[in-house]
Every structure is written in structure tokens, then in C-alpha cells.
Amino acid sequence: MKPTLQAVADAVGVSRSTVSNAYSRPDQLSASLRGRILDAARQLGYPGPNPTARSLRRGFVGSIGVLFTSQLSYAFTDPFAVRFLAGVGEAAERHSTSMLLVPLPTAVTDARRAVENAAVDGFCVYCVADEEWALDVIRARGLPFVSTAPRDDAGPDERYVGIDERAAAHSAAAHVAGLGHRRVALLADSVLPDAPAGPLTVPGVEQVPHPTTRGRLTGFADAFAEVGVDWAELTLVNAPGNSRKAAAAAVLGLFDRPDPPTAVLAGSDVLALGVLDALAARPAGDRPPVSVTGFDDVPEAAAAGLTTVRQPAEEKGRIAAELLLDPPTNTADGHVLLPTTLVVRDSTGPVSRS
């Protein structure tokens, strides 16, 4: 039979609680007694208290979940996600807790089960769309959460850390508009569910479901509306994923149109770098002068000379975890908007008049 805590207690001649303290509260025992207990446990082959049962008794697990909508590999390949998770990890380490990555499968039933079964004390909700059901499941479990996408209907007790997506995107678009660009393409990933790669018609930006994408597209549209270019005159382009390859495929043929865009505003640096890849792949004599902007300022952006919006990825992750692990007593302090900066580099310039 598998050795038990009671077997160790009997072997040493102490109570079950004393054996338990040898593992969970060693300061309650003398070094000599604890040594006798651990020696007996090793001789019997007892591995120690079951961590799951111990967590249930304590009422906490010692782990926080990071909930996001992409595949698990995204957390290790997307440069912004990697930096965000580094910030979460820094805070978690400081609080002596661990981190569980919880990707949401495409099927809602499986996704709901993933949230229901995650063994965590709370969630950092990263880049999750308008899927209120996920938050409802977390609330039903009685667990706290911190969102990185502030919602318009967020209650006073909800905690979030993010940026003003609309204002940040406006700064990039206003810069491009100020350079004289009026034929403009807006590139984002997964604009609509199951949308194909390439130009896409969406009657109004409010119909874009993902709040982060919607906020950035709205900021772009605001800036061009100010110079007389309305939403219908902008070319909306969908990439079926946030990758350089997906972006390059999405803009394929875009610059061969009779009136091609003179600028592409991308919803992320990864997408913008994909546009630069697509332009670089064209024959040297067939590369139109196109201004390109990104969003995030990942490390690769500087090397590529990419004009972009800088947001503090690691700080966002660190603050999200801190709000979860050490919530402020003043609920207003749980609403954090971080600053952004427009970084102008060589990828943007005045519109060509040729």
C-alpha cells in the first residue's frame, strides 16, 4: 500500500498534525524532531502531503492564471506577449507564487472548461475579446481578475491596467496624415471571426468585436476624419493572425492596384514588419514609396527603423500581477492607464507626389 502521513506519525510516535507541520510549518518543530520525521518519511517512501489537498485546506493554490485567446505557442513567440509575461513573472516571483498560462480553445465549451478547471487563485486577463462569459465564469468561481483591456462598462471594483488605445493610435495616424497621406490602408489581425486575408469591408468600426483592435482602428479613423477622409475611404485589411507571414500575405496585391495606398497603419509591430517584408520582396524597381507604422515598439522595431507607438509591455504585466496579488485598498487605484509615446523613425515620410 502507498505510505501515508499516518504511517509516518505512527513510526515516529507523534500526531498527524506534527508530521504535517514538518512540511508546512517547520518553524513549529525543533530541528531534531523535524529531522526524525523526514528520515522516517524517506524510509517509508512517503512523498509528503498531497499538494492539491493541502491547497484546498489552505484556501489558496499559490498560482495566478494568465488568460489569453491565442494558442499557447503565442506566449513564447509574440515579442510583446513575451515581455508582458516577463513582467507578470517578476511580480509573481516577488510574491513567491507561480504562474499558469491558460489559452482559450476555439470551441466555447472547451474554453469554458479551461477557465473552470484552472487551479489558480485569480486571473490576469490578457487580450481577451468581448467574451463576457469568460469573466462570468471567473466571477462564479469567486476569483479576482485583472484585465489588460479596460472596458467601457467596467465596474468600480474591477481592476485593470492598460492604455488609451484610441488616443495612442490617433497619434500615429495624425503623424501620417500630417505627412500628406490620404490613400491609407489599416491592417489588423482577426478583424472579424474567420475573415479571409486581404481587404475587408466593414460598414462601421463599431462592428469590430475585439476591444483592442476596435480601439486602435477607431483612433486611426478619428485622425483621418479630421483631415476629411472618412471610414469608407480607408482600406481595411485583415490578417488571419498576428504574424509577419500573415501580414505579408494580407497585403499581397495591395500595391498593384490602380490607386495603391501610400501608407499602411498596422495594429501591431509584428504586422508592420510583415508589410516591410512584403515590400522588400518586390523587385528593386517595383517598390512603391509606402509609409508604414506599427504599434508596441518591440525590440525588432528599432532595428527595422519602424515608426511606432511605444507602450510599456513589462510594466503592464508587472502592474497587472501586482493588482491581483496585492490589491489596493482604494478601488480607484485599481484603474491604471499607462502612458504611450509615438516614436518616429525612417519607415514614414512625406507622401510621394510622383
Side-chain angles (χ1 to χ4, degrees):
M1 293 179 62
K2 186 176 180 180
T4 64
L5 183 144
Q6 183 63 58
V8 177
D10 292 341
V12 182
V14 296
S15 66
R16 288 170 53 91
S17 61
T18 299
V19 176
S20 178
N21 285 341
Y23 290 92
S24 60
R25 303 175 67 188
D27 58 306
Q28 301 295 308
L29 307 180
S30 68
S32 174
L33 178 56
R34 184 169 186 262
R36 287 170 51 206
I37 292 171
L38 296 181
D39 284 343
R42 279 192 291 271
Q43 292 172 14
L44 292 170
Y46 175 65
N50 183 287
T52 302
R54 186 166 55 186
S55 296
L56 290 173
R57 287 194 298 271
R58 292 185 307 180
F60 68 95
V61 178
S63 179
I64 59 175
V66 180
L67 187 69
F68 57 101
T69 51
S70 299
Q71 295 178 335
L72 187 59
S73 59
Y74 182 85
F76 303 97
T77 57
D78 179 77
F80 187 84
V82 168
R83 291 167 59 205
F84 173 85
L85 290 173
V88 174
E90 177 189 333
E93 186 175 52
R94 188 160 47 248
H95 287 269
S96 300
T97 191
S98 60
M99 180 172 62
L100 176 69
L101 302 182
V102 187
L104 291 184
T106 303
V108 174
T109 301
D110 293 338
R112 183 180 294 274
R113 188 178 301 115
V115 180
E116 290 173 338
N117 295 336
V120 296
D121 298 308
F123 287 94
C124 289
V125 182
Y126 173 72
C127 286
V128 174
D130 288 348
E131 290 155 332
E132 183 65 24
W133 66 263
L135 301 184
D136 287 341
V137 172
I138 296 173
R139 293 188 187 100
R141 291 187 59 185
L143 296 179
F145 67 88
V146 176
S147 173
T148 62
R151 299 177 304 130
D152 294 337
D153 60 346
D157 294 333
E158 290 188 20
R159 284 167 266 166
Y160 61 76
V161 53
I163 62 173
D164 187 331
E165 304 282 0
R166 185 171 182 172
H170 181 279
S171 68
H175 163 69
V176 171
L179 293 171
H181 296 275
R182 297 295 182 269
R183 294 200 314 271
V184 178
L186 310 181
L187 173 64
D189 72 290
S190 305
V191 176
L192 294 177
D194 302 320
L200 184 68
T201 299
V202 176
V205 68
E206 68 281 354
Q207 296 180 15
V208 175
H210 197 288
T212 299
T213 302
R214 185 171 62 245
R216 294 181 188 182
L217 290 175
T218 301
F220 293 155
D222 288 345
F224 283 101
E226 291 167 3
V227 294
V229 180
D230 62 29
W231 174 255
E233 296 175 277
L234 299 169
T235 301
L236 180 60
V237 182
N238 178 68
N242 187 39
S243 71
R244 293 172 73 148
K245 183 177 180 180
V251 299
L252 190 66
L254 191 64
F255 306 112
D256 296 318
R257 293 179 166 192
D259 291 312
T262 62
V264 178
L265 282 73
S268 75
D269 285 344
V270 171
L271 295 178
L273 293 169
V275 175
L276 295 179
D277 291 343
L279 291 169
R282 297 174 70 93
D286 189 28
R287 294 176 189 167
V290 179
S291 286
V292 180
T293 68
F295 203 109
D296 292 332
D297 199 26
V298 301
E300 294 88 340
L306 180 65
T307 294
T308 187
V309 174
R310 175 181 296 159
Q311 64 164 319
E314 291 181 24
E315 185 179 2
K316 180 184 279 190
R318 179 182 58 78
I319 292 176
E322 288 287 354
L323 288 176
L324 188 63
L325 294 166
D326 187 17
T329 54
N330 185 349
T331 56
D333 293 335
H335 299 174
V336 180
L337 282 180
L338 298 173
T340 60
T341 305
L342 177 66
V343 182
V344 178
R345 298 191 178 105
D346 297 335
S347 69
T348 50
V351 65
S352 175
R353 299 300 179 182
S354 59

